[in-house]
mmCIF file of all heavy atoms in Angstrom:
data_model
loop_
_atom_site.group_PDB
_atom_site.id
_atom_site.type_symbol
_atom_site.label_atom_id
_atom_site.label_comp_id
_atom_site.label_asym_id
_atom_site.label_seq_id
_atom_site.Cartn_x
_atom_site.Cartn_y
_atom_site.Cartn_z
ATOM 1 N N ILE A 1 82.937 163.937 77.200
ATOM 2 C CA ILE A 1 82.043 164.766 77.920
ATOM 3 C C ILE A 1 80.814 164.967 77.265
ATOM 4 O O ILE A 1 80.734 165.423 76.229
ATOM 5 C CB ILE A 1 82.777 166.199 78.163
ATOM 6 C CG1 ILE A 1 84.100 166.037 78.909
ATOM 7 C CG2 ILE A 1 81.840 167.075 79.017
ATOM 8 C CD1 ILE A 1 84.908 167.308 78.877
ATOM 9 N N ASP A 2 79.686 164.606 77.971
ATOM 10 C CA ASP A 2 78.326 164.714 77.293
ATOM 11 C C ASP A 2 77.545 165.744 78.144
ATOM 12 O O ASP A 2 77.135 165.373 79.236
ATOM 13 C CB ASP A 2 77.691 163.239 77.307
ATOM 14 C CG ASP A 2 76.385 163.398 76.529
ATOM 15 O OD1 ASP A 2 75.989 164.300 76.010
ATOM 16 O OD2 ASP A 2 75.692 162.270 76.431
ATOM 17 N N VAL A 3 77.439 166.844 77.647
ATOM 18 C CA VAL A 3 76.679 167.918 78.360
ATOM 19 C C VAL A 3 75.211 167.752 78.065
ATOM 20 O O VAL A 3 74.802 167.956 76.986
ATOM 21 C CB VAL A 3 77.158 169.273 77.902
ATOM 22 C CG1 VAL A 3 76.484 170.408 78.649
ATOM 23 C CG2 VAL A 3 78.728 169.350 78.122
ATOM 24 N N ARG A 4 74.423 167.523 79.011
ATOM 25 C CA ARG A 4 72.979 167.345 78.887
ATOM 26 C C ARG A 4 72.352 168.649 79.286
ATOM 27 O O ARG A 4 72.614 169.226 80.421
ATOM 28 C CB ARG A 4 72.487 166.316 79.790
ATOM 29 C CG ARG A 4 73.125 164.879 79.512
ATOM 30 C CD ARG A 4 72.418 164.138 78.448
ATOM 31 N NE ARG A 4 73.123 162.781 78.207
ATOM 32 C CZ ARG A 4 72.399 161.826 77.607
ATOM 33 N NH1 ARG A 4 71.167 161.944 77.264
ATOM 34 N NH2 ARG A 4 73.082 160.825 77.373
ATOM 35 N N VAL A 5 71.332 169.097 78.567
ATOM 36 C CA VAL A 5 70.654 170.247 78.781
ATOM 37 C C VAL A 5 69.089 169.955 78.703
ATOM 38 O O VAL A 5 68.605 169.461 77.703
ATOM 39 C CB VAL A 5 70.836 171.453 77.783
ATOM 40 C CG1 VAL A 5 70.014 172.658 78.107
ATOM 41 C CG2 VAL A 5 72.393 171.763 77.764
ATOM 42 N N GLU A 6 68.344 170.147 79.820
ATOM 43 C CA GLU A 6 66.834 169.903 79.792
ATOM 44 C C GLU A 6 66.170 171.223 80.141
ATOM 45 O O GLU A 6 66.469 171.970 81.047
ATOM 46 C CB GLU A 6 66.577 168.924 80.923
ATOM 47 C CG GLU A 6 67.055 167.578 80.674
ATOM 48 C CD GLU A 6 66.501 166.464 81.603
ATOM 49 O OE1 GLU A 6 65.400 166.697 82.191
ATOM 50 O OE2 GLU A 6 67.153 165.469 81.853
ATOM 51 N N ILE A 7 65.244 171.411 79.255
ATOM 52 C CA ILE A 7 64.400 172.744 79.341
ATOM 53 C C ILE A 7 63.178 172.329 80.215
ATOM 54 O O ILE A 7 62.383 171.457 79.702
ATOM 55 C CB ILE A 7 63.993 173.176 78.053
ATOM 56 C CG1 ILE A 7 65.193 173.479 77.200
ATOM 57 C CG2 ILE A 7 63.200 174.518 78.184
ATOM 58 C CD1 ILE A 7 66.189 174.499 77.698
ATOM 59 N N GLY A 8 63.046 172.873 81.369
ATOM 60 C CA GLY A 8 61.872 172.599 82.205
ATOM 61 C C GLY A 8 60.810 173.686 82.032
ATOM 62 O O GLY A 8 60.951 174.553 81.160
ATOM 63 N N LEU A 9 59.912 173.756 82.967
ATOM 64 C CA LEU A 9 58.836 174.761 82.904
ATOM 65 C C LEU A 9 59.298 176.090 83.314
ATOM 66 O O LEU A 9 58.924 177.124 82.809
ATOM 67 C CB LEU A 9 57.660 174.275 83.790
ATOM 68 C CG LEU A 9 56.914 172.992 83.403
ATOM 69 C CD1 LEU A 9 55.836 172.616 84.385
ATOM 70 C CD2 LEU A 9 56.398 173.112 81.904
ATOM 71 N N LYS A 10 60.168 176.198 84.323
ATOM 72 C CA LYS A 10 60.683 177.387 84.939
ATOM 73 C C LYS A 10 62.158 177.665 84.865
ATOM 74 O O LYS A 10 62.622 178.686 84.973
ATOM 75 C CB LYS A 10 60.213 177.578 86.296
ATOM 76 C CG LYS A 10 58.728 177.604 86.434
ATOM 77 C CD LYS A 10 58.336 177.786 87.907
ATOM 78 C CE LYS A 10 56.733 177.813 88.077
ATOM 79 N NZ LYS A 10 56.372 177.823 89.487
ATOM 80 N N GLU A 11 62.876 176.553 84.646
ATOM 81 C CA GLU A 11 64.305 176.440 84.725
ATOM 82 C C GLU A 11 64.869 175.653 83.646
ATOM 83 O O GLU A 11 64.225 174.743 83.073
ATOM 84 C CB GLU A 11 64.899 175.993 86.100
ATOM 85 C CG GLU A 11 64.567 177.031 87.269
ATOM 86 C CD GLU A 11 65.128 176.483 88.515
ATOM 87 O OE1 GLU A 11 64.726 175.332 88.816
ATOM 88 O OE2 GLU A 11 66.046 177.026 89.069
ATOM 89 N N ALA A 12 66.163 175.807 83.369
ATOM 90 C CA ALA A 12 66.921 174.755 82.610
ATOM 91 C C ALA A 12 67.815 174.128 83.522
ATOM 92 O O ALA A 12 68.381 174.674 84.555
ATOM 93 C CB ALA A 12 67.777 175.579 81.432
ATOM 94 N N TYR A 13 68.082 172.838 83.185
ATOM 95 C CA TYR A 13 69.000 171.999 84.045
ATOM 96 C C TYR A 13 70.109 171.454 83.181
ATOM 97 O O TYR A 13 69.853 170.980 82.164
ATOM 98 C CB TYR A 13 68.155 170.773 84.637
ATOM 99 C CG TYR A 13 66.884 171.195 85.235
ATOM 100 C CD1 TYR A 13 65.687 170.944 84.683
ATOM 101 C CD2 TYR A 13 66.914 171.903 86.500
ATOM 102 C CE1 TYR A 13 64.414 171.271 85.277
ATOM 103 C CE2 TYR A 13 65.703 172.285 87.073
ATOM 104 C CZ TYR A 13 64.512 172.013 86.583
ATOM 105 O OH TYR A 13 63.273 172.344 87.009
ATOM 106 N N ILE A 14 71.302 171.609 83.666
ATOM 107 C CA ILE A 14 72.455 171.229 82.862
ATOM 108 C C ILE A 14 73.407 170.331 83.656
ATOM 109 O O ILE A 14 73.584 170.636 84.933
ATOM 110 C CB ILE A 14 73.323 172.463 82.458
ATOM 111 C CG1 ILE A 14 72.524 173.349 81.539
ATOM 112 C CG2 ILE A 14 74.649 172.011 81.763
ATOM 113 C CD1 ILE A 14 71.775 174.495 82.137
ATOM 114 N N TYR A 15 73.782 169.168 83.176
ATOM 115 C CA TYR A 15 74.568 168.232 83.940
ATOM 116 C C TYR A 15 75.436 167.364 82.924
ATOM 117 O O TYR A 15 75.190 167.352 81.765
ATOM 118 C CB TYR A 15 73.706 167.300 84.781
ATOM 119 C CG TYR A 15 72.613 166.466 83.957
ATOM 120 C CD1 TYR A 15 72.872 165.257 83.479
ATOM 121 C CD2 TYR A 15 71.396 167.134 83.701
ATOM 122 C CE1 TYR A 15 71.904 164.543 82.799
ATOM 123 C CE2 TYR A 15 70.429 166.416 83.007
ATOM 124 C CZ TYR A 15 70.613 165.153 82.553
ATOM 125 O OH TYR A 15 69.675 164.527 81.843
ATOM 126 N N THR A 16 76.412 166.698 83.405
ATOM 127 C CA THR A 16 77.319 165.870 82.615
ATOM 128 C C THR A 16 77.474 164.467 83.006
ATOM 129 O O THR A 16 78.179 163.739 82.465
ATOM 130 C CB THR A 16 78.772 166.602 82.616
ATOM 131 O OG1 THR A 16 79.176 166.576 83.905
ATOM 132 C CG2 THR A 16 78.790 167.949 82.184
ATOM 133 N N ARG A 17 76.662 164.029 84.032
ATOM 134 C CA ARG A 17 76.709 162.668 84.554
ATOM 135 C C ARG A 17 75.412 162.211 84.988
ATOM 136 O O ARG A 17 74.671 162.850 85.730
ATOM 137 C CB ARG A 17 77.724 162.608 85.694
ATOM 138 C CG ARG A 17 77.832 161.272 86.296
ATOM 139 C CD ARG A 17 78.591 161.284 87.622
ATOM 140 N NE ARG A 17 78.618 159.981 88.297
ATOM 141 C CZ ARG A 17 78.942 159.896 89.580
ATOM 142 N NH1 ARG A 17 79.155 160.875 90.368
ATOM 143 N NH2 ARG A 17 78.915 158.665 90.198
ATOM 144 N N LYS A 18 74.884 160.997 84.429
ATOM 145 C CA LYS A 18 73.789 160.294 84.913
ATOM 146 C C LYS A 18 74.160 159.167 85.840
ATOM 147 O O LYS A 18 75.026 158.294 85.457
ATOM 148 C CB LYS A 18 72.943 159.754 83.682
ATOM 149 C CG LYS A 18 72.090 160.740 83.013
ATOM 150 C CD LYS A 18 71.213 160.058 81.918
ATOM 151 C CE LYS A 18 70.358 161.040 81.280
ATOM 152 N NZ LYS A 18 69.445 160.275 80.271
ATOM 153 N N ILE A 19 73.618 159.072 86.957
ATOM 154 C CA ILE A 19 73.880 158.074 87.953
ATOM 155 C C ILE A 19 72.661 157.172 87.979
ATOM 156 O O ILE A 19 71.542 157.516 88.078
ATOM 157 C CB ILE A 19 74.026 158.726 89.408
ATOM 158 C CG1 ILE A 19 75.126 159.661 89.304
ATOM 159 C CG2 ILE A 19 74.359 157.584 90.380
ATOM 160 C CD1 ILE A 19 74.984 160.748 90.486
ATOM 161 N N ALA A 20 72.927 155.888 87.650
ATOM 162 C CA ALA A 20 71.828 154.873 87.501
ATOM 163 C C ALA A 20 71.221 154.612 88.813
ATOM 164 O O ALA A 20 71.912 154.432 89.876
ATOM 165 C CB ALA A 20 72.461 153.559 86.877
ATOM 166 N N GLY A 21 69.881 154.552 88.870
ATOM 167 C CA GLY A 21 69.130 153.987 89.950
ATOM 168 C C GLY A 21 68.702 152.562 89.764
ATOM 169 O O GLY A 21 69.217 151.914 88.768
ATOM 170 N N ILE A 22 67.844 152.052 90.575
ATOM 171 C CA ILE A 22 67.476 150.626 90.434
ATOM 172 C C ILE A 22 66.139 150.518 89.760
ATOM 173 O O ILE A 22 65.661 149.419 89.601
ATOM 174 C CB ILE A 22 67.457 149.966 91.827
ATOM 175 C CG1 ILE A 22 66.430 150.547 92.767
ATOM 176 C CG2 ILE A 22 68.813 149.953 92.536
ATOM 177 C CD1 ILE A 22 66.297 149.730 94.064
ATOM 178 N N GLY A 23 65.427 151.636 89.483
ATOM 179 C CA GLY A 23 64.220 151.537 88.811
ATOM 180 C C GLY A 23 63.093 151.070 89.759
ATOM 181 O O GLY A 23 63.100 151.192 90.993
ATOM 182 N N GLY A 24 62.011 150.477 89.026
ATOM 183 C CA GLY A 24 60.912 149.937 89.815
ATOM 184 C C GLY A 24 59.923 151.010 90.209
ATOM 185 O O GLY A 24 59.796 151.977 89.484
ATOM 186 N N LEU A 25 59.238 150.846 91.367
ATOM 187 C CA LEU A 25 58.142 151.730 91.808
ATOM 188 C C LEU A 25 58.527 152.220 93.156
ATOM 189 O O LEU A 25 59.183 151.438 94.028
ATOM 190 C CB LEU A 25 56.844 151.001 91.828
ATOM 191 C CG LEU A 25 56.269 150.564 90.453
ATOM 192 C CD1 LEU A 25 55.008 149.704 90.610
ATOM 193 C CD2 LEU A 25 55.966 151.753 89.572
ATOM 194 N N PRO A 26 58.049 153.352 93.592
ATOM 195 C CA PRO A 26 58.309 153.836 94.952
ATOM 196 C C PRO A 26 57.712 152.915 96.052
ATOM 197 O O PRO A 26 56.555 152.507 95.973
ATOM 198 C CB PRO A 26 57.711 155.252 94.916
ATOM 199 C CG PRO A 26 56.738 155.270 93.906
ATOM 200 C CD PRO A 26 57.212 154.314 92.797
ATOM 201 N N VAL A 27 58.445 152.666 97.101
ATOM 202 C CA VAL A 27 57.992 151.858 98.192
ATOM 203 C C VAL A 27 56.764 152.494 98.778
ATOM 204 O O VAL A 27 56.727 153.676 99.132
ATOM 205 C CB VAL A 27 59.127 151.769 99.291
ATOM 206 C CG1 VAL A 27 58.539 151.027 100.457
ATOM 207 C CG2 VAL A 27 60.359 151.045 98.752
ATOM 208 N N GLY A 28 55.741 151.723 99.027
ATOM 209 C CA GLY A 28 54.458 152.094 99.539
ATOM 210 C C GLY A 28 53.332 152.265 98.530
ATOM 211 O O GLY A 28 52.161 152.352 98.824
ATOM 212 N N SER A 29 53.814 152.315 97.253
ATOM 213 C CA SER A 29 52.752 152.610 96.189
ATOM 214 C C SER A 29 52.068 151.281 95.769
ATOM 215 O O SER A 29 51.115 151.329 95.095
ATOM 216 C CB SER A 29 53.400 153.106 94.962
ATOM 217 O OG SER A 29 54.419 152.237 94.333
ATOM 218 N N SER A 30 52.576 150.127 96.216
ATOM 219 C CA SER A 30 51.938 148.846 95.873
ATOM 220 C C SER A 30 51.381 148.024 97.009
ATOM 221 O O SER A 30 51.398 146.883 97.038
ATOM 222 C CB SER A 30 52.930 147.968 95.020
ATOM 223 O OG SER A 30 53.342 148.642 93.851
ATOM 224 N N GLY A 31 51.033 148.794 98.113
ATOM 225 C CA GLY A 31 50.549 148.121 99.266
ATOM 226 C C GLY A 31 51.569 147.577 100.206
ATOM 227 O O GLY A 31 52.766 147.898 100.162
ATOM 228 N N ARG A 32 51.142 146.758 101.124
ATOM 229 C CA ARG A 32 52.016 146.120 102.162
ATOM 230 C C ARG A 32 51.916 144.598 102.113
ATOM 231 O O ARG A 32 50.860 144.032 101.877
ATOM 232 C CB ARG A 32 51.604 146.610 103.506
ATOM 233 C CG ARG A 32 52.440 146.146 104.677
ATOM 234 C CD ARG A 32 51.946 146.696 105.933
ATOM 235 N NE ARG A 32 52.184 148.177 105.917
ATOM 236 C CZ ARG A 32 51.648 148.991 106.901
ATOM 237 N NH1 ARG A 32 50.851 148.525 107.866
ATOM 238 N NH2 ARG A 32 51.912 150.269 106.936
ATOM 239 N N GLY A 33 53.042 143.897 102.326
ATOM 240 C CA GLY A 33 53.062 142.461 102.306
ATOM 241 C C GLY A 33 53.965 142.003 103.451
ATOM 242 O O GLY A 33 54.879 142.681 103.885
ATOM 243 N N VAL A 34 53.625 140.791 103.852
ATOM 244 C CA VAL A 34 54.474 140.075 104.942
ATOM 245 C C VAL A 34 55.381 139.076 104.258
ATOM 246 O O VAL A 34 54.809 138.163 103.548
ATOM 247 C CB VAL A 34 53.583 139.509 105.989
ATOM 248 C CG1 VAL A 34 54.332 138.601 106.896
ATOM 249 C CG2 VAL A 34 52.881 140.624 106.883
ATOM 250 N N VAL A 35 56.706 139.167 104.531
ATOM 251 C CA VAL A 35 57.625 138.143 103.940
ATOM 252 C C VAL A 35 57.977 137.127 104.975
ATOM 253 O O VAL A 35 58.412 137.395 106.169
ATOM 254 C CB VAL A 35 58.863 138.879 103.475
ATOM 255 C CG1 VAL A 35 59.864 137.942 102.913
ATOM 256 C CG2 VAL A 35 58.571 139.957 102.467
ATOM 257 N N LEU A 36 57.822 135.772 104.628
ATOM 258 C CA LEU A 36 58.382 134.716 105.440
ATOM 259 C C LEU A 36 59.809 134.736 105.294
ATOM 260 O O LEU A 36 60.358 134.304 104.233
ATOM 261 C CB LEU A 36 57.709 133.367 105.078
ATOM 262 C CG LEU A 36 56.238 133.136 105.604
ATOM 263 C CD1 LEU A 36 55.296 133.634 104.467
ATOM 264 C CD2 LEU A 36 55.928 131.779 105.931
ATOM 265 N N PHE A 37 60.494 135.141 106.285
ATOM 266 C CA PHE A 37 62.003 135.506 106.222
ATOM 267 C C PHE A 37 62.810 134.446 106.897
ATOM 268 O O PHE A 37 62.937 134.438 108.154
ATOM 269 C CB PHE A 37 62.043 136.859 106.866
ATOM 270 C CG PHE A 37 63.254 137.591 106.619
ATOM 271 C CD1 PHE A 37 63.558 138.017 105.334
ATOM 272 C CD2 PHE A 37 64.157 137.913 107.545
ATOM 273 C CE1 PHE A 37 64.810 138.708 104.945
ATOM 274 C CE2 PHE A 37 65.327 138.638 107.296
ATOM 275 C CZ PHE A 37 65.600 139.106 106.031
ATOM 276 N N SER A 38 63.325 133.465 106.122
ATOM 277 C CA SER A 38 64.167 132.389 106.779
ATOM 278 C C SER A 38 65.533 132.747 107.199
ATOM 279 O O SER A 38 66.055 132.161 108.062
ATOM 280 C CB SER A 38 64.157 131.252 105.789
ATOM 281 O OG SER A 38 65.077 131.529 104.765
ATOM 282 N N GLY A 39 66.233 133.673 106.515
ATOM 283 C CA GLY A 39 67.507 133.966 106.745
ATOM 284 C C GLY A 39 68.450 133.210 105.663
ATOM 285 O O GLY A 39 69.677 133.406 105.827
ATOM 286 N N GLY A 40 67.865 132.397 104.790
ATOM 287 C CA GLY A 40 68.662 131.861 103.755
ATOM 288 C C GLY A 40 68.943 132.902 102.587
ATOM 289 O O GLY A 40 68.760 134.090 102.808
ATOM 290 N N ILE A 41 69.325 132.364 101.489
ATOM 291 C CA ILE A 41 69.695 133.258 100.378
ATOM 292 C C ILE A 41 68.412 133.772 99.705
ATOM 293 O O ILE A 41 68.318 134.872 99.243
ATOM 294 C CB ILE A 41 70.498 132.409 99.322
ATOM 295 C CG1 ILE A 41 71.868 132.009 99.950
ATOM 296 C CG2 ILE A 41 70.700 133.325 98.073
ATOM 297 C CD1 ILE A 41 72.705 131.087 99.100
ATOM 298 N N ASP A 42 67.307 132.958 99.610
ATOM 299 C CA ASP A 42 66.143 133.334 98.757
ATOM 300 C C ASP A 42 65.283 134.265 99.330
ATOM 301 O O ASP A 42 64.874 135.203 98.640
ATOM 302 C CB ASP A 42 65.388 131.937 98.540
ATOM 303 C CG ASP A 42 66.185 130.891 97.771
ATOM 304 O OD1 ASP A 42 67.289 131.295 97.256
ATOM 305 O OD2 ASP A 42 65.878 129.836 97.785
ATOM 306 N N SER A 43 64.903 134.181 100.663
ATOM 307 C CA SER A 43 63.813 135.171 101.166
ATOM 308 C C SER A 43 64.290 136.558 101.188
ATOM 309 O O SER A 43 63.434 137.429 100.864
ATOM 310 C CB SER A 43 63.405 134.610 102.606
ATOM 311 O OG SER A 43 64.389 134.599 103.486
ATOM 312 N N PRO A 44 65.544 136.974 101.471
ATOM 313 C CA PRO A 44 65.844 138.352 101.424
ATOM 314 C C PRO A 44 65.834 138.872 99.932
ATOM 315 O O PRO A 44 65.460 140.041 99.652
ATOM 316 C CB PRO A 44 67.373 138.383 101.922
ATOM 317 C CG PRO A 44 67.476 137.141 102.752
ATOM 318 C CD PRO A 44 66.610 136.155 102.146
ATOM 319 N N VAL A 45 66.098 137.978 99.012
ATOM 320 C CA VAL A 45 66.088 138.463 97.571
ATOM 321 C C VAL A 45 64.592 138.630 97.195
ATOM 322 O O VAL A 45 64.229 139.556 96.445
ATOM 323 C CB VAL A 45 66.740 137.296 96.587
ATOM 324 C CG1 VAL A 45 66.547 137.767 95.161
ATOM 325 C CG2 VAL A 45 68.270 137.358 97.006
ATOM 326 N N ALA A 46 63.686 137.645 97.667
ATOM 327 C CA ALA A 46 62.300 137.893 97.452
ATOM 328 C C ALA A 46 61.718 139.175 98.011
ATOM 329 O O ALA A 46 60.975 139.832 97.362
ATOM 330 C CB ALA A 46 61.597 136.605 98.027
ATOM 331 N N ALA A 47 62.154 139.434 99.244
ATOM 332 C CA ALA A 47 61.766 140.683 99.876
ATOM 333 C C ALA A 47 62.322 141.889 99.090
ATOM 334 O O ALA A 47 61.422 142.877 98.856
ATOM 335 C CB ALA A 47 62.318 140.785 101.297
ATOM 336 N N TYR A 48 63.481 141.925 98.723
ATOM 337 C CA TYR A 48 64.031 142.980 97.921
ATOM 338 C C TYR A 48 63.224 143.180 96.574
ATOM 339 O O TYR A 48 62.919 144.239 96.057
ATOM 340 C CB TYR A 48 65.527 142.783 97.455
ATOM 341 C CG TYR A 48 66.028 143.761 96.420
ATOM 342 C CD1 TYR A 48 66.361 144.990 96.691
ATOM 343 C CD2 TYR A 48 66.049 143.273 95.092
ATOM 344 C CE1 TYR A 48 66.748 145.808 95.720
ATOM 345 C CE2 TYR A 48 66.566 144.102 94.105
ATOM 346 C CZ TYR A 48 66.898 145.431 94.394
ATOM 347 O OH TYR A 48 67.312 146.173 93.374
#
């Protein structure tokens, strides 16, 4: 059991579990692009 305590500006936050995200940058922060989307294996991975 790993009890995490974070001291914020107005509150303290206590939790025992970190759930991993995928990282990266928020969608929309790097502009817009058009993906040539074939339906094969590669183009959906490129889009992601």
Side-chain angles (χ1 to χ4, degrees):
I1 302 171
D2 190 359
V3 181
R4 303 269 179 160
V5 180
E6 292 191 27
I7 305 300
L9 297 177
K10 297 180 180 180
E11 293 179 297
Y13 311 107
I14 295 92
Y15 56 94
T16 61
R17 178 189 174 200
K18 279 188 176 182
I19 303 158
I22 63 174
L25 296 172
V27 174
S29 64
S30 298
R32 181 178 296 168
V34 166
V35 180
L36 283 93
F37 198 62
S38 70
I41 295 172
D42 298 344
S43 60
V45 174
Y48 165 82

